[in-house]
Amino acid sequence: MTKLSININKIALLRNSRGRNYPDVHAFAARCLALGAHGITLHPRPDQRHARYSDISMLDGLCKSQGRELNVEGFPSPQFLDAVIRARPAQCTLVPDDPAQITSDHGWDLRNHQTSLRETISALKAANIRVSLFADFDNPDIPLAHELGADRVELYTGPYAHAHDTPLAQDIFERFKHAARTAQDAGLGVNAGYDLNLRNLEDFLRIPSILEVSIGHAFVVECIEHGIEKVMRGYLSIANK
């Protein structure tokens, strides 16, 4: 079974667009958990244009009360790390975002950032937080993540999603499968996320032992199109195989 973590950034974006608490991020996350999601993902960015640092502790309390996990993603700025360490969520996924980026689109250059990553990972693990590093499937240095102290890598699945249903699909899938096996052989757990959806997730999970997928943008769009109950059932039927 693969755990399904719902990224609720898009719900937070809608909330912020009107300057009041509607839609209610806490209520939406609670509904996702009630419908069977295994956890919640939140990715606050420096400008807090959607998720806010203040959302971290609120959602961590919700997840802990339900026996589920909160995964907080983001660039390890001092403000981000302070908020994460104070809340102590189950998992923190470090992402190499530039402050001006619209969305995450690449993994870490592990070799060139190893000193700062090692220090950050040590601080997070001292707070009993599991650490995952956002990684590209074609990065030859994936095993280095384990040496730096990370528990997992999250494979950036944009290239897989973009190649799905094209002549390149099988080749890209095999390369992701190799990347996952390389990580696992190095002692790392493997998560995955970015542009996964109801159409392409089942094929991706033919890769053995993917521990967790985080899905946000597609989940919200599909909920608008089909309704949250139907969409959640669809994802869980894939993830729970």
Side-chain angles (χ1 to χ4, degrees), residues 155-189:
L155 295 178
Y156 163 58
T157 50
Y160 163 80
H162 301 157
H164 195 256
D165 291 334
T166 77
L168 297 174
Q170 188 59 35
D171 177 65
I172 293 293
F173 172 80
E174 292 296 333
R175 294 174 69 188
F176 269 90
K177 185 176 179 181
H178 174 74
R181 185 167 56 248
T182 297
Q184 291 158 353
D185 288 347
L188 294 158

Side-chain angles (χ1 to χ4, degrees), residues 108-168:
W108 285 98
D109 180 339
L110 295 169
R111 193 157 298 279
N112 286 332
H113 292 91
Q114 59 182 306
T115 300
S116 60
L117 284 173
R118 191 187 303 274
E119 293 172 356
T120 299
I121 291 167
S122 178
L124 290 167
K125 294 189 74 171
N128 200 31
I129 300 169
R130 186 172 69 239
V131 180
S132 180
L133 299 180
F134 207 50
D136 294 316
F137 74 102
D138 55 357
N139 186 337
D141 294 323
I142 283 177
L144 181 56
H146 183 263
E147 296 177 33
L148 299 178
D151 303 287
R152 299 183 183 184
V153 291
E154 179 178 330
L155 295 178
Y156 163 58
T157 50
Y160 163 80
H162 301 157
H164 195 256
D165 291 334
T166 77
L168 297 174

Side-chain angles (χ1 to χ4, degrees), residues 84-116:
V84 171
I85 290 172
R86 277 190 285 108
R88 302 195 177 200
Q91 179 172 268
C92 179
T93 301
L94 301 177
V95 182
D97 283 346
D98 180 276
Q101 274 186 243
I102 294 176
T103 185
S104 304
D105 61 9
H106 64 281
W108 285 98
D109 180 339
L110 295 169
R111 193 157 298 279
N112 286 332
H113 292 91
Q114 59 182 306
T115 300
S116 60

